[in-house]
Structure formats: structure tokens, C-alpha cells
Amino acid sequence: MPSSLEVILVPTFMIIVGLMLKRLSILESSDSKLLTKIVLNISLPALIFVNLSKADITGDMLILPVMGLLLSFMLLCTAYFYSRFRNYSKKTTWTIMIASSMMNTGFIGFPVSLGVFGNAGFLHAIFYDLSTTILFIVYGMILVKEFGGDRQDILRQSVKFVPLWAVIFALIFNVFNIPIFDLAGSILDYFADSTIPLIMLSLGLTIDFNAIGRSIGDSLFVSFVKLVLSPCIIFVILSLLHIGGMTFNVAILEAGMSTAMNALVLAITYDLDVKLMSSLIFTNVILSLFTLTAIISFLL
């Protein structure tokens, strides 16, 4: 099993490569959108399908999305009371609440779980990530009611979310033991292998150090909630329920992830505080490199 330092250093180096490519004008920040589309629509679905379609699915995996939703609700309440204490506007309050409760359990959580715990960890992470997908849909419905917008748009985005379909089809192939032809399997493997490098390069292209000075107080609050309080809460809950093993490890690791990139999609779509959301995401992505190292060291 790799050391915690190695698990963090490898993807961090890939992020730095992306940052350097942007600095050298070989790639542009806008290229991250293309890389993200490739990841979400091709390589990540392939990675999910390859692993889940042949996996031995256990009952404890079904606990993970429930734990994820419960944790997100607790973080949502924490952010709500913080915003009320600061007397923030409705728009700013929802921005902070969403940033505090939506975790990047897929885009960053998948490669980290895979790197730390291998395929078994990745499979558990897939189930945990279902909670984030559910939250994205629920928040979309709520924000339509609160701020206006097209309710059908969030449904269309959810239906078109290819990783979710990868989970559905993989479960069908798994349950009915449908074989995958060698050629198809090889093609999917090639696409799957490109997932982690593309994710990290894309993340490197999006880094903007100018954002770190914006709303530093709120950024540090959300970072504390997401990166420190969140894994501590899930640790206590799972310990009280006497849940251990891979479910315990992956739940804590995923609970310590930074804010989901889809939170920015919601902020843009429903006219929340986009600049604040960008600053919150950027700050806790950077700080998560240190907190995840500590979490991984604890779990290993």
C-alpha cells in the first residue's frame, strides 16, 4: 500500500504540470472545460463501468450514500447558523450553505480513493458519490423555488449526467452477469486509465491565486467545515454505529474532500454569489492537499 505522502504527491505533481502548462501558455484556463467534458463524458464513466460491472457488491456499500446525505444535512445546518450570525443576505447564505455541504466526492474523491485503497476503495467511493448527485438535483429544485429559473433544466442536466448512467448500466451488467467482449473491455480500459491525469491537469489549469484574497474569512470557515469538521463528524457517527473496514475508511476520506465543482454550476445557473463560490472552492481545494495528507496518514 502506498504511503500517504506518495498518494498526495503524485496527483499534486500532475496539478503542478497543469499549472505550469498554463503559465507557459501551452494550455489556457479555458481548456480545462474541454478536459472536464472528456472526463465526465468518456473517461470517468469508463472507469466506473469497468470497476463496478465486475465488482463484488456488498451490503455495507449501500450505507455510504445515506451517511453522505446525513453528513451534508449537518454541514448545511452549520453553515446556515454561521450565515445568520453574520447577518448575510439570502443569496450569500445559500452560496455558503451549498459550498459547505456539497463534497467533491467524484472529481477528486475518486482518484484519491483509488490511489489510497485501490479498486475496493474506488467501488465504495462510487456509492458514496451518489449522495452528491442526489444533492445536486435537490438543490437545483430548491434554488428554482427560491430564486427562479427553469426546473426542467436541472432535470435535463441530471438525466444527461453520464457517470450516473455508467453506474446504472454497470449495475445491470453486474446483477445479470452480462459478459463484456474483450475488444470492448480493452477500449474501456484505455479510456479509464486516462481519468486521473486528465482530472489533475484540468484542476491545475483552473488554479487562480488571485482568488485567495477574496472573502478570506468565509473561505477559512468553509474550509474548516469541509476539511476538518466534516471527517470528524463522520468518524464519530460511524464509531457509534460500530461500522468499520473499507466503509469506515472511504467514508472518512470522502468526507474530507473539498467543495464539489458542481456547486459552482449551481451558483452560476441560479445567480448566487459566483465570485464568492469560486473563492470558497479555490481555498479549500488548496488546503485539502494538507488535510487529506493528514487523513490518509491517520487511516493508513
Side-chain angles (χ1 to χ4, degrees):
M1 184 174 288
S3 67
S4 59
L5 184 61
E6 180 183 349
V7 170
I8 291 298
L9 279 181
V10 171
T12 300
F13 180 76
M14 295 180 187
I15 293 173
I16 293 173
V17 170
L19 179 61
M20 293 306 298
L21 290 173
K22 182 175 70 171
R23 291 284 186 180
L24 296 172
S25 298
I26 296 174
L27 293 175
E28 304 293 335
S29 296
S30 57
D31 293 331
S32 65
K33 294 181 180 179
L34 176 59
L35 293 181
T36 301
K37 285 183 178 180
I38 293 172
V39 169
L40 289 178
N41 295 295
I42 300 175
S43 60
L44 182 56
L47 182 64
I48 292 172
F49 185 85
V50 165
N51 285 275
L52 189 55
S53 62
K54 299 177 291 186
D56 181 16
I57 299 174
T58 57
D60 62 336
M61 294 180 183
L62 303 178
I63 299 173
L64 289 167
V66 177
M67 289 293 103
L69 289 172
L70 175 62
L71 175 63
S72 293
F73 176 74
M74 297 174 72
L75 300 180
L76 184 76
C77 292
T78 303
Y80 171 76
F81 288 118
Y82 166 81
S83 299
R84 285 294 300 270
F85 176 77
R86 298 295 295 268
N87 197 29
Y88 283 151
S89 67
K90 182 175 167 182
K91 180 181 293 189
T92 301
T93 297
W94 271 105
T95 301
I96 293 175
M97 286 166 59
I98 290 173
S100 298
S101 58
M102 283 189 72
M103 304 164 198
N104 203 330
T105 52
F107 204 67
I108 297 179
F110 284 168
V112 174
S113 296
L114 182 63
V116 178
F117 299 115
N119 286 337
F122 176 67
L123 290 172
H124 282 72
I126 291 173
F127 281 88
Y128 193 103
D129 184 59
L130 292 175
S131 62
T132 302
T133 303
I134 293 170
L135 276 180
F136 179 74
I137 298 171
V138 171
Y139 281 152
M141 297 297 184
I142 294 173
L143 293 175
V144 165
K145 179 178 180 296
E146 294 292 329
F147 299 100
D150 185 2
R151 187 185 297 270
Q152 298 299 319
D153 184 57
I154 195 70
L155 289 175
R156 282 193 293 268
Q157 290 187 50
S158 302
V159 170
K160 291 165 59 178
F161 191 59
V162 181
L164 179 59
W165 285 106
V167 172
I168 293 172
F169 279 108
L171 289 174
I172 292 173
F173 272 68
N174 188 301
V175 171
F176 294 100
N177 198 25
I178 301 173
I180 302 173
F181 297 112
D182 290 340
L183 178 59
S186 297
I187 293 172
L188 288 171
D189 285 338
Y190 277 116
F191 281 133
D193 290 342
S194 68
T195 304
I196 295 177
L198 289 178
I199 287 176
M200 297 307 163
L201 287 175
S202 176
L203 189 57
L205 293 175
T206 62
I207 290 178
D208 178 11
F209 289 105
N210 294 325
I212 202 166
R214 302 171 191 153
S215 309
I216 188 65
D218 293 332
S219 296
L220 290 177
F221 167 77
V222 172
S223 295
F224 172 77
V225 168
K226 295 290 303 100
L227 308 178
V228 179
L229 183 61
S230 176
C232 288
I233 290 174
I234 207 72
F235 172 83
V236 172
I237 293 175
L238 293 177
S239 297
L240 290 174
L241 294 175
H242 303 291
I243 296 173
M246 188 60 71
T247 300
F248 176 87
N249 290 334
V250 171
I252 292 177
L253 184 60
E254 291 283 341
M257 294 297 157
S258 56
T259 300
M261 298 301 178
N262 272 342
L264 184 59
V265 173
L266 290 173
I268 294 171
T269 303
Y270 298 101
D271 196 28
L272 301 181
D273 193 331
V274 177
K275 288 185 177 180
L276 174 60
M277 183 66 83
S278 298
S279 179
L280 299 177
I281 293 174
F282 173 77
T283 303
N284 65 60
V285 164
I286 297 300
L287 292 178
S288 70
L289 296 176
F290 303 98
T291 55
L292 284 176
T293 301
I295 292 173
I296 293 168
S297 298
F298 168 75
L299 295 175
L300 295 180

